[in-house]
């Protein structure tokens, strides 16, 4: 266990999302992963801070607003309030802040940062000629373009969006990214965990080794003006990625609250999708190095949710709204499923059939049924009060305690590696152990005789202790179900679930004899997938 980190800060971020459209489950996936990490570290006793938000400037958002015949500010206000903030409720995200790049606290400090880089010679004026993809909001090299097909036959298109690129020719400002080629390589070498997973790290290192060019970081207002003014030249606005990356520091007080900034920066882990890894693992640390600010400790690039083998996206009409799933299965199952079914860092295909099968076997029949039958037996055989027990020195009981301790410790190690799937698998060894234990001990047989009543008490107390550990260890993944279980199991006598330190969770025999065990609602009710839902899946796949 990493108890030595208790009291330290754990600052985790998600990318900030473009508000050109409503969220789909790919976006929710990033949010859930960051939230599980934040909650786990909080439960370890760390000062956990989760930041998320919205990326509101740039040509992509401006075009969407124009297509909807509203001003960009009205458009972003509407989407943030109608879609992005509600997403956090839908999937139960406990974020400490939400930053919008149109907020004054962000805009003013982006300008401060830019001015500083300009004054110290890292930004210069030059002329740019080349291609730009609005979908990616990125300048493109020849190698990033492919021949178009269909309506774009005969022209070069962006390899990611399959749409034509803009040809730009303008005078604008450049960031001396090329100066950071060697410093970045040295930094990667000295900090092998900076880019994770390993495959992502290798890709970035070879990209940087091929050489870095200076980066255009402004756009002329003659083309469009939805962005932050370059402070020394108001005929230009800041390139949207330069603006967006800075959210990670403006939100925590860069330029405005030095004490808060120092208490959280450098961020512990920044979670990003692999499509935006280079911005975060190359441009971002170089920007910070130029400003003499330490880079974050880690950039973790996760994989994509695929539908029909392709990256899910709204623009390709494969996006599934998170509420389509949570309305049927609930937010806990959503969170569990995506963290358990896909190794974090790899791509994974989503299907309703897989979700529904796992819900039934792992949540309803596995964890949920274990909780309800244990509590029901305590209520039935001990009049609803947790029985008192002796030393619990039966080897079978001791084995349950040992599995619990190992489950928590293995899960903690896995979270340290951002291996969320491994963490859940480790915790579920305790679910399996308890189910086997009940089968072997046969409490319903022990209940038949007065002489075996003392043993029955030990068995059910052991099960209740196992459930106590499960409630704590699964709380970061399934906050709602575990809160219900905790309330039914403890009668409020052990304090809030969120305040239970993970490092002591497996210390045995914490539940107090005599505690009234209240009735537990079914944690994961049976769901009959309507034919409609099945056929809907096929249509989407
Ligand atoms: N605005 C930029 C990020 C700026 S961060 C300083 C952006 N926004 S985005 O809305 O397009 O994407 C946000 C995140 O959602 C990215 O990490 C991206 O990888 C993730 N996902 C979008 N579609 C996804 C899937 N189909 N699967 C998993 N994650 C996906 O990029």
């Amino acid at each position: 266990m990493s108890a030595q980190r208790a009291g330290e800060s754990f600052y985790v971020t998600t990318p900030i999302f473009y508000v050109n459209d409503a969220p789909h489950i790919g976006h929710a996936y990033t949010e859930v992963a960051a939230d599980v990490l934040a909650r786990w570290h909080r439960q370890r006793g760390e000062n956990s801070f989760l930041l998320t938000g919205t990326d509101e400037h740039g040509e992509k958002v401006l075009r969407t607003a124009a297509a909807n015949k509203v001003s960009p500010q009205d458009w972003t206000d509407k989407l943030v309030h109608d879609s992005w903030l509600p997403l956090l409720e839908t999937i139960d995200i406990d974020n400490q802040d939400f930053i919008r790049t149109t907020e004054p606290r962000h805009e003013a400090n982006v300008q401060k940062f830019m001015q500083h880089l300009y004054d110290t010679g890292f930004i210069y004026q030059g002329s740019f000629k080349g291609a730009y993809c609005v979908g990616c909001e990125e300048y493109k090299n020849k190698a990033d373009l492919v021949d178009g097909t269909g309506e774009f036959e005969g022209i070069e298109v962006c390899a990611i969006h399959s749409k034509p690129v803009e040809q730009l020719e303008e005078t604008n400002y450049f960031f001396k990214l090329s100066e950071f080629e060697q410093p970045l390589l040295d930094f990667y070498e000295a900090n092998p965990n900076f880019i994770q997973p390993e495959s992502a790290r290798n890709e970035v290192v070879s990209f940087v080794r091929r050489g870095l060019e200076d980066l255009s970081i402004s756009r002329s207002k003659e083309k469009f003006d939805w962005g932050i003014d370059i402070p020394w030249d108001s005929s230009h606005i800041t390139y949207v990625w330069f603006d967006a990356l800075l959210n990670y520091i403006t939100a925590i007080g860069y330029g405005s609250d030095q004490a808060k900034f120092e208490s959280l920066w450098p961020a512990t882990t920044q979670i990003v999708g692999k499509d935006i890894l280079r911005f975060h693992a190359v441009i971002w640390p170089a920007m910070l190095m130029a400003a003499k600010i330490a880079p974050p400790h880690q950039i973790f690039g996760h994989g994509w949710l695929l539908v029909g083998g392709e990256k899910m996206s709204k623009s390709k009409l494969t996006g599934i709204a998170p509420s389509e799933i949570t309305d049927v299965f609930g937010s806990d199952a959503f969170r569990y499923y995506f963290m358990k079914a896909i190794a974090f860092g790899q791509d994974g295909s989503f299907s309703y059939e897989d979700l529904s099968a796992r819900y039934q076997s792992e949540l309803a029949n596995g964890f949920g049924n274990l909780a309800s039958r244990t509590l029901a037996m305590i209520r039935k055989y001990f009049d609803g009060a947790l029985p008192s027990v002796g030393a619990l020195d039966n080897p079978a009981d001791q084995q349950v305690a040992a599995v619990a301790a190992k489950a928590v410790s293995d899960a903690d190690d896995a979270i340290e590696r951002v291996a969320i799937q491994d963490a859940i698998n480790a915790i579920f060894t305790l679910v399996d152990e308890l189910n086997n234990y009940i089968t072997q001990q046969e409490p319903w047989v022990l209940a038949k005789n007065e002489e075996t009543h003392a043993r029955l008490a030990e068995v059910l107390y052991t099960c209740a202790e196992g459930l106590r550990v499960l409630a704590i260890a699964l709380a970061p993944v399934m906050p709602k179900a575990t809160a219900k279980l905790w309330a039914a199991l403890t009668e409020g006598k052990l304090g809030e679930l969120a305040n239970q330190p993970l490092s002591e969770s497996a210390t045995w025999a914490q539940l107090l004899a005599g505690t009234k065990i209240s009735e537990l609602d079914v944690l994961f009710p049976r769901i009959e997938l309507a034919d409609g839902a099945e056929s809907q899946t096929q249509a989407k796949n």
Side-chain angles (χ1 to χ4, degrees), residues 14-20 24-30 54-56 60 84 135-137 240-241 243-248 271-276 279-280 302-307 310-314 318 347-348:
T14 72
I16 49 171
F17 300 92
Y18 287 129
V19 285
N20 58 320
H24 58 61
I25 58 176
H27 303 123
Y29 179 62
T30 315
T54 42
D55 188 355
E56 306 190 6
K60 175 147 83 174
W84 288 94
C136 298
E137 292 284 15
V240 64
W241 269 99
D243 158 355
L245 287 163
L246 289 167
N247 90 86
Y248 302 128
I271 305 288
V272 300
K274 63 180 180 181
D275 49 326
I276 58 171
F279 293 98
H280 286 82
H302 66 71
W304 287 339
L305 296 191
L306 307 174
V307 171
E310 272 200 54
K311 179 184 178 219
M312 178 183 308
S313 83
K314 282 268 167 176
T318 51
D347 291 349

Side-chain angles (χ1 to χ4, degrees), residues 12-17 24-35 37 52 194-201 203-204 248 269-278 280-281 298-306 311-312 338-339 342-348 417-421:
V12 58
T13 64
T14 72
I16 49 171
F17 300 92
H24 58 61
I25 58 176
H27 303 123
Y29 179 62
T30 315
E31 289 282 353
V32 168
D35 187 59
L37 296 177
T52 187
F194 174 62
I195 305 166
Q196 286 294 317
E198 200 60 27
S199 53
R201 175 189 151 80
E203 195 226 282
V204 169
Y248 302 128
T269 298
Q270 301 206 253
I271 305 288
V272 300
K274 63 180 180 181
D275 49 326
I276 58 171
L277 183 72
R278 279 189 202 165
H280 286 82
Q298 185 176 67
I299 304 290
F300 194 99
H302 66 71
W304 287 339
L305 296 191
L306 307 174
K311 179 184 178 219
M312 178 183 308
F338 286 106
M339 294 300 107
I342 302 167
F344 201 57
Q346 289 169 23
D347 291 349
R417 292 180 275 117
V418 198
I420 303 174
Q421 184 191 47

Side-chain angles (χ1 to χ4, degrees), residues 229-256:
D229 277 3
I230 293 285
W232 61 90
D233 181 350
S234 60
S235 68
H236 279 74
I237 52 166
T238 308
Y239 170 42
V240 64
W241 269 99
F242 227 70
D243 158 355
L245 287 163
L246 289 167
N247 90 86
Y248 302 128
I249 58 173
T250 58
I252 55 159
Y254 166 80
S256 60

